[in-house]
Amino acid sequence: MRTAALLALRVLTPVVSVLALWYLAIAFSGLPAFVIPRPERVIEVLWSDHAFIFEHLMATLQVAAIGFIWANIAGIGLAVLFDLLPLTRHMLLPAAITLRNVPYIALISVLMLAFGDSIVSKTTIVALSGFFPVLVNTMAGLRAADEVQLDRMRILNASWWQTFSRVRLPYAIPSIVAAQEITGSSSIIVAIAAEWMISSTGLGYVINNAMQNYRGDKVYAVALIATGLSFLIYSFVHWLGRRLDWR
């Protein structure tokens, strides 16, 4: 009973706090309703336009999921390559850092010219935004392996794969999971941002359309969905990570 009460308190406290701040902003900001709509109006939009929003939500989830997968393939793949062939780290890591720091607006413009309004351009943006945290965290995790264990593997004349799979990878799992918390939760937001700029589908398109029609309530509805999804993804990855952490 006490555990259930504590869980309910942890869930309700942020909700009540956000609603209180929301109503205070409405009362004291003096802004019109299409800029700060009332929470009940946002809930009404979620119900009345649920079919339209759900259709575009599926498009956003597809972009986010594909981009997330490619980010992990690139990030973990490069980290493993750097561990296998240390020379490649000096060759490729500066390029990865440079690519990470290119403004997204420039990347989106180039991808739009190359692929147009396609899933390739949008998933590429999501992948580029997520691969670097995965790469850095995986590298740090692989380097965090216990030196005593590594010495034992060297004494036993173990192969690179044996050392990697039995020592380095288990030690890297917590760091990899931490990267998933960042990349997984942000993939939804980045997908929406990409759709907002170059797409005719997805939640980003819904925001764009709502802004053009002065529908602040629909913008808030999409923001509420995106926030909820990001929180759920983060919570699930965190829960899964606690069960995968062999320590």
Side-chain angles (χ1 to χ4, degrees):
M1 188 69 177
R2 183 180 179 183
T3 303
L6 288 173
L7 180 62
L9 184 63
R10 291 177 64 180
V11 173
L12 289 175
T13 299
V15 173
V16 172
S17 300
V18 169
L19 287 175
L21 290 173
W22 196 335
Y23 279 112
L24 285 173
I26 293 172
F28 294 104
S29 67
L31 294 172
F34 67 84
V35 178
I36 306 183
R38 298 179 69 83
E40 53 268 29
R41 174 57 188 163
V42 175
I43 300 300
E44 181 182 339
V45 169
L46 284 173
W47 175 252
S48 61
D49 294 349
H50 68 275
F52 174 76
I53 293 174
F54 182 78
E55 176 186 352
H56 290 281
L57 171 61
M58 291 298 102
T60 298
L61 288 176
Q62 182 184 23
V63 170
I66 295 174
F68 173 75
I69 292 170
W70 279 114
N72 278 279
I73 291 173
I76 296 175
L78 281 175
V80 173
L81 178 65
F82 295 163
D83 182 70
L84 175 62
L85 301 172
L87 182 62
T88 59
R89 179 170 175 263
H90 303 289
M91 297 169 57
L92 298 177
L93 187 57
I97 295 172
T98 301
L99 187 61
R100 174 66 177 82
N101 289 307
V102 174
Y104 288 149
I105 185 67
L107 288 173
I108 291 174
S109 300
V110 172
L111 290 168
M112 184 64 178
L113 292 172
F115 303 107
D117 179 11
S118 68
I119 195 168
V120 174
S121 56
K122 291 174 282 189
T123 55
T124 301
I125 292 298
V126 177
L128 289 175
S129 71
F131 93 96
F132 197 72
V134 176
L135 171 62
V136 171
N137 278 271
T138 305
M139 286 172 55
L142 293 174
R143 291 199 300 265
D146 188 357
E147 288 297 332
V148 174
Q149 300 292 336
L150 293 174
D151 284 338
R152 288 176 179 173
M153 297 300 283
R154 281 190 286 267
I155 291 170
L156 294 170
N157 199 27
S159 65
W160 171 85
W161 173 249
Q162 289 172 325
T163 303
F164 175 82
S165 61
R166 299 183 184 184
V167 180
R168 291 195 181 277
L169 184 58
Y171 273 93
I173 286 177
S175 298
I176 294 174
V177 170
Q180 306 311 306
E181 292 176 349
I182 300 170
T183 305
S185 58
S186 66
S187 61
I188 298 292
I189 308 302
V190 176
I192 292 174
E195 291 167 344
W196 180 75
M197 296 193 66
I198 62 175
S199 184
S200 57
T201 58
L203 293 180
Y205 164 76
V206 175
I207 292 177
N208 220 347
N209 180 264
M211 291 174 63
Q212 292 174 6
N213 292 282
Y214 296 95
R215 289 292 305 277
D217 50 0
K218 191 175 288 187
V219 174
Y220 277 73
V222 172
L224 189 63
I225 292 173
T227 303
L229 282 173
S230 297
F231 179 76
L232 286 175
I233 292 171
Y234 173 85
S235 300
F236 173 74
V237 174
H238 183 72
W239 172 84
L240 186 63
R242 293 177 63 181
R243 281 147 184 80
L244 290 176
D245 189 349
W246 60 271
R247 292 176 300 181

